Amino acid sequence: MNVFIILGMGAAVGFLSGMFGVGGGFLITPLLIFYNIPPVVAVATGANQVVASSMSGALSHFRRGTLDVRLGVVLLLGGLAGATAGIWLFSLLRRIGQLDLVISLLYVVLLGAVGTLMLLESLRALRRAAQNRPVSLRRPGQHNWVHRLPLKMRFKKSRIYLSIIPVVGLGFAIGVLTSIMGVGGGFIMVPAMIYLLRIPTSVVVGTSLFQIIFVTAYTTVVQATMNHAVDIVLAFILMVAGVIGAQYGVRIGQKLRGEQLRALLALLVLAVGARLAVDLVATPGDIYSVVSERIYR
Amino acid sequence: MRRAAAVLTLAAGLLAPAAAGALENARFEHPEKLEIGVSTDEIAISSDFRGVDLTIFGAIEGYDPDLLAQGKYGVVVALEGPKDDATVRKKERFFGIWVNRHSMTFELVPESYSLSSTRDVETIAPDGELNSLGIGIQHIRLSPTGYFGDGSNLTEFRDAFRRLKEAGGFYQRDPGGVQFISASLFKATVRLPASVPNGTHMVRAHLFRDGVFISEKALPLRVMKTGIEQMISNAAYENATAYGIFAVILAVVTGWIASIVFRKD
């Protein structure tokens, strides 16, 4: 393991995450896998790194008070349950030798879907800009099927009256992703909160970061306890490089045009997904592999 | 006729234990004894360890000078790593992607194995003898756990296991690694691989006379990794929860410090 390559990786992903306001976990884990870090370690260490990268963003939201703690706690309950189920599934898959495959498949699907959506969206925005029409945010309608569910609860800060079923469900799904893929999941949670739950944009990012910090922290501790898969040195190098890279990313991001940047990130996301897909399909150098219980020691 | 047969059976019954006893005694009646010595029973290795050759000295006591002169004695020295279950998996194409579809777990096999002998072990003793003693990479005991197959792929998985272990440098052999330095004194060179497993290794020496196993000697060798990396690794296994909590605290503090240092005001 070369420290400078890890530093470079952390800084590059930090830079991108600062530029686009994403957590970066969904890029760190595949990069670590490309660098031949065992996927078990890449995922658990990725979750640990996300704790740090979400922390500074979350702190500024805490200071400004742009989060709904009540909503965050309900999300968090789902998230902790999801992470617990996810780690159980993770250990099971590892035991039967299918973990690496499932991690890769999930990443191919996720990166492919996110990359495609981002690319389409940014291309549409670019076309609109070329036609000199104002870029308008799609105005979400007031109600959908989600708002007809029972068990409603009032979230004062968000000024909504919402069933806790979709909130807990969303938290649960993100928790599963955190434990199996080592991501914070903000890139799914934020759009889901805005378009599905109709939560005001002002509190969405802060609330999602609030839940991400606790779920990734919980995942880190459980992964360390059950799978001994957290590499604290690797995580620390990634964190330090990441938080520094993010600062420069933010500055550059403010100077460049959003739609073009998003199109670039979309292409990068698609490229990472494609590389993982190729690795799944290409004939492996050796169709046999051997593991002993203590191989990661 | 029937009576004669009965007498014969009785005689055979009486003879059989006696014969077995004689055979057992023969094993112990060999005058030759094997002695070995290692300069230390504990090795501490640091994180920049790139593997090392270990020299083991030994002597054959009570040897027959004629047999020795004819080269009838064969010495095999093996350094066996700690034993663990090992699972071999085989990938197959499944809807276009490569998936682990078959696996076999071998019970308590050494993680590392370095073999040194006076000449190729296959020429020292017959296969049956080597198999029953588990000497040599081709003869290490590889018994599958909970295995109910037809046995046809047993060979395939055993071969794959040996090949992967040899390719990874965990299993090594040196068919000239045992050299006589005087009439009955020998030195054996075994290799501790770079990625040596922590724990108690065993040095096992076997003496053969004319293809027959006659004496063995074993010594434990503790391998202890030292340095900061190993301390961290030990913590990850022995105090796993505390380690996890520490990892989280480290992340929280890093994020917090970053938000102070880079505060935009």
Side-chain angles (χ1 to χ4, degrees):
Chain A
M1 195 170 94
N2 186 327
V3 176
F4 295 102
I5 292 179
I6 303 288
L7 271 173
M9 253 184 226
V13 173
F15 183 81
L16 289 171
S17 67
M19 203 148 90
F20 299 107
V22 291
F26 67 102
L27 286 175
I28 279 284
T29 308
L31 284 181
L32 290 176
I33 293 173
F34 295 157
Y35 191 52
N36 282 331
I37 305 279
V40 180
V41 178
V43 166
T45 305
N48 190 10
Q49 188 266 342
V50 173
V51 177
S53 67
S54 309
M55 192 65 196
S56 51
L59 281 175
S60 69
H61 283 281
F62 294 164
R63 276 192 220 107
R64 281 182 276 150
T66 46
L67 81 159
D68 186 331
V69 175
R70 195 177 164 98
L71 181 64
V73 168
V74 177
L75 270 174
L76 184 57
L77 291 177
L80 295 180
T84 307
I87 291 170
W88 176 83
L89 191 63
F90 185 94
S91 304
L92 174 76
L93 288 168
R94 187 183 178 187
R95 211 161 43 242
I96 61 170
Q98 303 298 351
L99 181 65
D100 297 4
L101 174 75
V102 170
I103 292 172
S104 288
L105 277 177
L106 282 174
Y107 265 106
V108 169
V109 171
L110 191 85
L111 296 176
V114 170
T116 308
L117 288 175
M118 269 173 66
L119 190 64
L120 292 177
E121 193 270 335
S122 55
L123 288 180
R124 257 200 309 274
L126 278 173
R127 211 175 308 130
R128 267 198 302 270
Q131 289 162 356
N132 232 345
R133 264 193 273 153
V135 182
S136 66
L137 275 173
R138 198 153 22 118
R139 176 102 192 118
Q142 288 306 308
H143 286 280
N144 58 14
W145 60 271
V146 165
H147 295 83
R148 287 194 290 273
L149 292 169
L151 284 175
K152 291 201 174 184
M153 193 170 170
R154 196 167 297 283
F155 297 102
K156 277 193 199 123
K157 183 89 191 181
S158 309
R159 291 189 305 274
I160 50 167
Y161 184 56
L162 186 65
S163 161
I164 62 166
I165 295 171
V167 180
V168 171
L170 178 64
F172 187 90
I174 302 295
V176 172
L177 291 186
T178 297
S179 52
I180 300 186
M181 303 177 74
V183 296
F187 58 98
I188 294 176
M189 190 148 53
V190 170
M193 284 166 81
I194 295 174
Y195 295 111
L196 203 66
L197 306 183
R198 311 280 196 237
I199 292 162
T201 327
S202 58
V203 297
V204 162
V205 175
T207 308
S208 95
L209 283 171
F210 171 83
Q211 113 107 12
I212 285 172
I213 286 179
F214 286 101
V215 174
T216 49
Y218 171 76
T219 303
T220 304
V221 174
V222 182
Q223 286 282 26
T225 307
M226 283 183 64
N227 291 311
H228 312 287
V230 177
D231 187 327
I232 209 167
V233 178
L234 181 61
F236 186 64
I237 298 170
L238 290 173
M239 285 170 205
V240 172
V243 293
I244 295 170
Q247 301 306 318
Y248 292 96
V250 169
R251 271 167 228 177
I252 304 288
Q254 284 159 349
K255 289 180 192 142
L256 294 174
R257 282 184 54 198
E259 301 86 58
Q260 285 163 352
L261 274 181
R262 274 209 301 283
L264 278 178
L265 178 66
L267 289 176
L268 180 76
V269 166
L270 285 175
V272 173
R275 163 77 198 269
L276 280 169
V278 167
D279 288 347
L280 282 175
V281 178
T283 307
D286 197 332
I287 60 167
Y288 294 97
S289 58
V290 63
V291 277
S292 75
E293 271 168 39
R294 309 196 315 174
I295 206 81
Y296 299 110
R297 225 187 244 212
Chain B
M1 190 62 210
R2 178 170 288 184
R3 190 171 185 158
V7 170
L8 213 68
T9 318
L10 189 70
L14 281 172
L15 273 174
L23 212 77
E24 208 142 286
N25 279 343
R27 257 215 172 157
F28 286 105
E29 271 167 20
H30 288 300
E32 296 93 340
K33 287 275 172 294
L34 196 59
E35 287 302 332
I36 53 167
V38 192
S39 61
T40 172
D41 58 358
E42 204 173 278
I43 294 183
I45 54 177
S46 55
S47 58
D48 57 353
F49 180 72
R50 293 280 165 268
V52 73
D53 286 332
L54 216 71
T55 305
I56 291 147
F57 287 96
I60 307 172
E61 287 177 359
Y63 61 93
D64 182 326
D66 292 340
L67 290 173
L68 192 69
Q70 293 163 35
K72 297 280 190 190
Y73 288 112
V75 176
V76 180
V77 179
L79 179 65
E80 286 182 12
K83 290 182 175 179
D84 269 313
D85 286 1
T87 302
V88 178
R89 296 202 166 92
K90 186 190 178 188
K91 282 195 169 75
E92 254 173 33
R93 219 181 243 286
F94 184 71
F95 288 110
I97 57 174
W98 288 88
V99 181
N100 284 327
R101 298 215 62 191
H102 306 282
S103 73
M104 194 178 281
T105 300
F106 296 113
E107 219 164 44
L108 295 178
V109 288
E111 279 184 62
S112 63
Y113 187 80
S114 172
L115 186 82
S116 179
S117 48
T118 41
R119 51 180 197 274
D120 201 343
V121 282
E122 321 291 331
T123 66
I124 288 180
D127 279 0
E129 187 90 328
L130 294 174
N131 282 336
S132 68
L133 293 165
I135 295 173
I137 295 174
Q138 293 305 316
H139 308 281
I140 282 182
R141 248 173 239 119
L142 291 174
S143 34
T145 57
Y147 179 66
F148 302 108
D150 55 5
S152 63
N153 53 2
L154 188 58
T155 316
E156 174 192 343
F157 277 92
R158 282 181 172 158
D159 286 347
F161 175 81
R162 295 187 187 108
R163 185 172 50 75
L164 286 164
K165 282 294 206 181
E166 276 193 272
F170 289 99
Y171 283 19
Q172 315 180 39
R173 53 183 142 190
D174 182 1
V178 177
Q179 287 163 344
F180 281 96
I181 41 183
S182 77
S184 68
L185 204 63
F186 63 85
K187 78 176 184 119
T189 310
V190 286
R191 189 148 180 84
L192 216 51
S195 42
V196 60
N198 229 356
T200 303
H201 294 233
M202 285 302 267
V203 180
R204 279 184 208 285
H206 288 87
L207 176 66
F208 292 88
R209 187 180 67 193
D210 231 355
V212 180
F213 162 61
I214 48 179
S215 176
E216 75 168 308
K217 190 85 190 175
L219 284 178
L221 180 72
R222 293 215 326 134
V223 172
M224 297 200 339
K225 294 189 181 177
T226 58
I228 187 119
E229 283 179 33
Q230 193 57 31
M231 269 171 58
I232 294 171
S233 168
N234 285 346
Y237 279 84
E238 283 147 29
N239 302 308
T241 306
Y243 176 93
I245 292 170
F246 181 72
V248 169
I249 293 172
L250 194 66
V252 167
V253 170
T254 307
W256 179 60
I257 289 176
S259 82
I260 293 173
V261 171
F262 298 108
R263 207 165 180 172
K264 282 173 233 142
D265 40 45

